[in-house]
Amino acid sequence: MPGPAPAETSAANPAAARKYLLERVDEAEVVQVYADGFQALPPKEKQLLWHLYRAAIAGRDIFYDQRYAHNLDMRDVLEAILTHPGPDSDTLAEIRRYTKLFWLNTGPYNNLTARKFVLGTKPEELAAIAHAAEARGAKFPTHKGESLDQLLERLKPMFFDAAVDPFVTSKTPVPGQDILEGSANNLYVGVTMKDLEGRKDHYELNSRVVRKNGVIEEEVYRVGGRYDPQLRDVVSHLQAALPFASAAMAKALQALITWYQTGDPADRRLYDIAWVEDSDPVVDTINGFTEVYLDARGMKGAWQALAYYVNQRKTTAIQTIAANAQWFEDRMPWDPQYRKQGVQGITAKAVDIVIETGDSGPITPIGINLPNDQTIRERYGSKSVSLSNIFEAYSGSMEPAFYTEFAYTAQEARRAQDCGAFVHELTTDLHEVIGHASGQVAARLDGSPQSALREQYSALEEARADLVALYFLPDPKLVDLGLVAAGAQAEIVQAEYEAYSRRALVQLRRVRQGSQIEEDHMRNRQMIVNWLRLHTEAIESRKRDGKTYYVMVDARAFRDGVGRLLADVQRIKSEGDYAAAKQLFETYGIHFDPKLRDEIVARVDALKLPSYTGFVQPRLQAITGADGKVADIEISYPQDLTRQMLEYAELTRATREQFRTSEIEPGRPVTGR
């Protein structure tokens, strides 16, 4: 490992010495996340978290491979160099920079724009430093009979050519191109949307669809199937966790193990149900093929894992929202036929994570509501978690200029600083607990609106949840429930409506090439704000000193507009109206003026503001007693992205080698497609 390892921050260190912002890498900031309540947990819960933590690391390489077929080979090349670096040089500095972005984004694609970024050295410079590393003992991921030079030649287009596999996911490809052909992810091989017309995958979430010898088939993600080495390792850690789990959690973990062993959708449903029914855990995990944002079709689940414990202090508010879910449902501004009756168990917690990997880390959500299966939500309920220590880390690393540069008045900036963090957490809770868990779909959709809405589904669902939160934020019910103070509600609503309006403008800094948005959450925000700008008097676009501002001028008009848009969005989801969803996002959510983007980028760069954040996770370590058994689990905070990523890679090296051997095929194509 290059250089001396920095001293880790102990969990016992005073908060006053806490460091959040660790470094900047181009547009990204790297932030340490802390888990203050871990030490107070009983020993049994600590050991449970330890095994869930190891399970999260064990499956990490699955998402790397799902995201791009060449990711693991590319990462091993980079890490071989960084662990055997030699003298400092411009080439080595560039490799370090690129590798950090590669880790943060899980490959060479920006997490938000889906666009490829490339290594800023020459191929011969990479080759020279790789050969020097090999001379120092570095091992490279060469295939049988392949030299290091042949390996580097094979990977040269992936490292250096932005035109090869330019987008990891392309839901709005160039004219004439299929969305699967335009997406470089590893969820489909040799098939197009036309090939899949009328086809229903048996393993919708957990399979890769490939054409082999002219026949389309599913490679199932399960023990004995695709990702066998990784899933065996995940299962071994889940099995080790069973003795430390409650009866309800052990039932859920055993169901998850069974699903990993069979891959069968029926077993996945049994796991989802058991997980939801474990309604009051102190420690919990999310582990599996879950979210479908990576898939242009909106069908295949990306692997992710989180391990966390309940933050009791912050859970009261989110549970209050969940306990009143039916009240909110009965007052939704959409057609009554789309309202649920007898809302089932929404379990809501504020939690502190100890690890997030795969699709959920190092770049992380701030709130989660699962399961995504609509029929399970309607019959059994759902669980929502708000990631409290992620909110805390974001807040601790926030640059003050974010509040001032894009606020039109000093009063707007003050509101953002005074109550922005509080109201953002509250709206996230409403988004997850009430938004995603609300509404019902037409029976003819068989509980699967995503099958009808396809690539538009994820953005539409995120818009629906955002609109629910924005709609209810001014409601006096929040005061009655004690979630906001009566005298503060108007100020809180004003702050959030202003912030939401700004977000659609400020997020353009993340899309530095092209003139369209690919990421679903960004499409959602863009659509809502543009629709409100054009259909209400709520938001004005103003210019001052050559700078553009989105100014929220009428909170009542904002809320009324949100209600009208929400009614239509729910109708689109409930009826599976693909044409309406596509028109909505094509008109308001995807395309933007590149001149406006260039202005925003210039303002952001002048202030050195980041475009996105990646997190360094807490580190758990087992402490063994004289008998060789685990006696305790220690937590520490590495404060070093490189150190953490290299440690994770070393822990999964054996399974990665097994997987690589099984994946090598003669004549494998140059690109991921």
Side-chain angles (χ1 to χ4, degrees):
M1 196 171 299
E8 294 191 358
T9 298
S10 164
N13 281 356
R18 180 156 292 174
K19 182 179 182 181
Y20 286 102
L21 181 59
L22 305 179
E23 62 177 315
R24 280 286 302 274
V25 187
D26 291 2
E27 301 170 60
E29 65 176 4
V30 181
V31 173
Q32 177 69 56
V33 61
Y34 297 88
D36 291 330
F38 180 85
Q39 287 189 310
L41 292 171
K44 186 176 181 180
E45 274 72 28
K46 287 184 182 178
Q47 294 210 40
L48 175 59
L49 275 169
W50 162 248
H51 293 296
L52 299 176
Y53 169 92
R54 290 300 305 272
I57 296 172
R60 169 178 175 256
D61 287 346
I62 294 173
F63 183 59
Y64 266 92
D65 185 75
Q66 286 183 300
R67 194 154 161 83
Y68 192 41
H70 306 283
N71 260 351
L72 292 174
D73 282 355
M74 294 174 73
R75 198 187 77 199
D76 277 358
V77 166
L78 296 168
E79 291 176 349
I81 291 170
L82 293 191
T83 52
H84 301 78
D88 284 340
S89 66
D90 290 344
T91 300
L92 183 58
E94 168 57 17
I95 291 171
R96 283 182 175 139
R97 182 201 67 84
Y98 176 86
T99 305
K100 288 177 182 180
L101 292 178
F102 193 99
W103 286 325
L104 291 171
N105 291 281
T106 314
Y109 295 93
N110 184 283
N111 189 270
L112 296 168
T113 69
R115 188 181 288 269
K116 185 177 180 178
F117 54 89
V118 296
L119 182 59
T121 65
K122 296 178 180 178
E124 56 268 27
E125 291 171 334
L126 175 64
I129 207 165
H131 278 287
E134 185 179 47
R136 295 184 186 92
K139 302 296 182 183
F140 287 88
T142 53
H143 292 174
K144 185 177 181 181
E146 184 180 47
S147 69
L148 176 56
D149 283 330
Q150 289 170 325
L151 166 68
L152 296 175
E153 184 65 25
R154 171 165 60 87
L155 296 178
K156 184 165 72 172
M158 294 80 195
F159 278 122
F160 295 102
D161 192 343
V164 172
D165 297 340
F167 289 95
V168 66
T169 302
S170 181
K171 297 181 181 181
T172 310
V174 298
Q177 191 176 59
D178 179 271
I179 62 174
L180 299 187
E181 291 175 318
S183 301
N185 62 57
N186 197 22
L187 304 177
Y188 303 90
V189 179
V191 297
T192 66
M193 286 293 289
K194 186 176 181 180
D195 295 327
L196 302 181
E197 284 180 4
R199 173 191 170 92
K200 184 174 176 61
D201 298 338
H202 180 69
Y203 303 91
E204 281 193 343
L205 277 176
N206 58 312
S207 71
R208 182 175 77 156
V209 179
V210 303
R211 185 189 297 275
K212 288 186 176 179
N213 301 318
V215 178
I216 296 174
E217 61 183 62
E218 294 176 74
E219 295 179 343
V220 186
Y221 308 152
R222 64 184 172 196
V223 172
R226 186 165 183 82
Y227 303 127
D228 172 77
Q230 290 91 349
L231 290 175
R232 285 183 186 275
D233 201 14
V234 172
V235 165
S236 72
H237 291 294
L238 295 176
Q239 289 172 329
L242 290 172
F244 303 97
S246 66
M249 187 178 188
K251 179 181 177 182
L253 291 178
Q254 186 57 62
L256 176 58
I257 290 167
T258 300
W259 179 42
Y260 278 149
Q261 290 170 333
T262 69
D264 195 282
D267 289 325
R268 190 269 303 165
R269 283 180 56 84
L270 291 175
Y271 163 61
D272 282 348
I273 293 167
W275 183 75
V276 169
E277 290 179 339
D278 180 19
S279 60
D280 196 28
V282 175
V283 167
D284 205 353
T285 190
I286 294 169
N287 190 305
F289 300 95
T290 308
E291 304 291 2
V292 297
Y293 302 113
L294 180 65
D295 181 10
R297 274 175 86 207
M299 302 295 293
K300 299 302 177 188
W303 191 88
Q304 66 173 349
L306 304 88
Y308 51 86
Y309 59 90
V310 174
N311 183 320
Q312 298 291 353
R313 182 175 60 85
K314 290 194 171 185
T315 290
T316 301
I318 195 170
Q319 287 185 332
T320 299
I321 295 170
N324 289 272
Q326 189 67 61
W327 185 95
F328 291 102
E329 186 76 29
D330 292 342
R331 289 157 181 82
M332 291 294 179
W334 54 65
D335 192 306
Q337 68 177 311
Y338 306 134
R339 294 176 186 163
K340 284 183 183 178
Q341 298 302 316
V343 173
Q344 294 297 315
I346 299 174
T347 302
K349 306 283 186 182
V351 305
D352 287 344
I353 64 100
V354 295
I355 193 168
E356 298 179 276
T357 64
D359 195 24
S360 57
I363 297 174
T364 168
I366 53 178
I368 299 171
N369 181 280
L370 292 172
N372 287 327
D373 188 311
Q374 186 73 21
T375 59
I376 293 176
R377 285 180 184 276
E378 292 177 3
R379 183 172 178 183
Y380 297 96
S382 62
K383 286 163 79 168
S384 287
V385 293
S386 175
L387 310 187
S388 294
N389 55 342
I390 296 297
F391 274 108
E392 176 189 273
Y394 270 124
S395 180
S397 64
M398 183 67 72
E399 296 282 351
F402 258 125
Y403 300 116
T404 57
E405 174 61 25
F406 295 94
Y408 193 67
T409 66
Q411 292 83 0
E412 181 181 340
R414 177 190 56 77
R415 275 190 291 271
Q417 289 181 294
D418 289 350
C419 54
F422 166 79
V423 70
H424 188 43
E425 191 163 3
L426 175 59
T427 52
T428 298
D429 291 346
L430 289 167
H431 169 113
E432 299 294 346
V433 180
I434 303 301
H436 282 310
S438 62
Q440 64 180 17
V441 300
R444 61 183 173 76
L445 296 181
D446 195 27
S448 182
Q450 56 266 50
S451 296
L453 295 169
R454 296 177 295 193
E455 77 274 9
Q456 306 298 333
Y457 173 77
S458 294
L460 188 85
E461 177 60 15
E462 291 305 320
R464 197 180 68 87
D466 266 9
L467 289 164
V468 167
L470 294 168
Y471 181 75
F472 282 108
L473 190 62
D475 200 293
K477 184 68 172 180
L478 299 191
V479 175
D480 296 342
L481 294 176
L483 297 172
V484 298
Q489 188 170 30
E491 185 87 345
I492 285 170
V493 170
Q494 184 84 3
E496 179 59 17
Y497 285 3
E498 288 169 340
Y500 202 90
S501 302
R502 290 194 306 270
R503 265 174 226 137
L505 189 65
V506 180
Q507 73 177 10
L508 294 180
R509 76 195 191 279
R510 296 167 167 166
V511 190
R512 300 195 170 212
Q513 295 173 278
S515 61
Q516 67 184 39
I517 294 170
E518 289 291 343
E519 203 273 335
D520 292 309
H521 297 80
M522 293 174 66
R523 285 185 170 190
N524 138 44
R525 289 188 287 268
Q526 196 81 359
M527 183 275 289
I528 291 173
V529 170
N530 282 339
W531 190 95
L532 290 172
R533 287 178 57 223
L534 293 170
H535 293 277
T536 76
E537 302 297 320
I539 303 170
E540 293 181 358
S541 177
R542 296 180 180 176
K543 280 272 194 179
R544 185 176 64 204
D545 300 327
K547 295 180 178 181
T548 304
Y549 298 84
Y550 283 176
V551 186
M552 201 289 297
V553 295
D554 189 332
R556 185 183 297 275
F558 191 106
R559 201 235 186 179
D560 289 346
V562 161
R564 285 189 284 132
L565 179 57
L566 177 54
D568 192 39
V569 166
Q570 181 63 50
R571 184 201 65 77
I572 291 170
K573 178 184 177 180
S574 293
E575 298 299 331
D577 190 342
Y578 174 80
K582 184 175 182 179
Q583 182 178 19
L584 186 65
F585 284 98
E586 285 282 355
T587 304
Y588 304 107
I590 295 173
H591 309 286
F592 61 83
D593 180 358
K595 291 182 179 178
L596 177 60
R597 182 270 318 281
D598 292 345
E599 175 206 317
I600 301 304
V601 167
R603 291 163 67 180
V604 163
D605 286 351
L607 295 168
K608 296 182 171 57
L609 298 176
S611 293
Y612 61 96
T613 302
F615 291 90
V616 175
Q617 315 282 329
R619 181 179 187 268
L620 299 188
Q621 183 175 6
I623 307 301
T624 55
D627 58 359
K629 295 181 179 179
V630 175
D632 196 10
I633 308 297
E634 284 189 351
I635 190 168
S636 58
Y637 305 105
Q639 297 192 352
D640 189 317
L641 176 68
T642 298
R643 184 181 184 186
Q644 183 159 86
M645 294 295 98
L646 293 178
E647 179 181 36
Y648 288 175
E650 188 58 35
L651 288 171
T652 57
R653 182 176 301 279
T655 55
R656 192 160 61 256
E657 287 304 318
Q658 293 173 41
F659 176 69
R660 179 176 286 114
T661 300
S662 70
E663 282 296 286
I664 295 174
E665 300 172 4
R668 186 175 180 176
V670 171
T671 71
R673 308 308 314 138

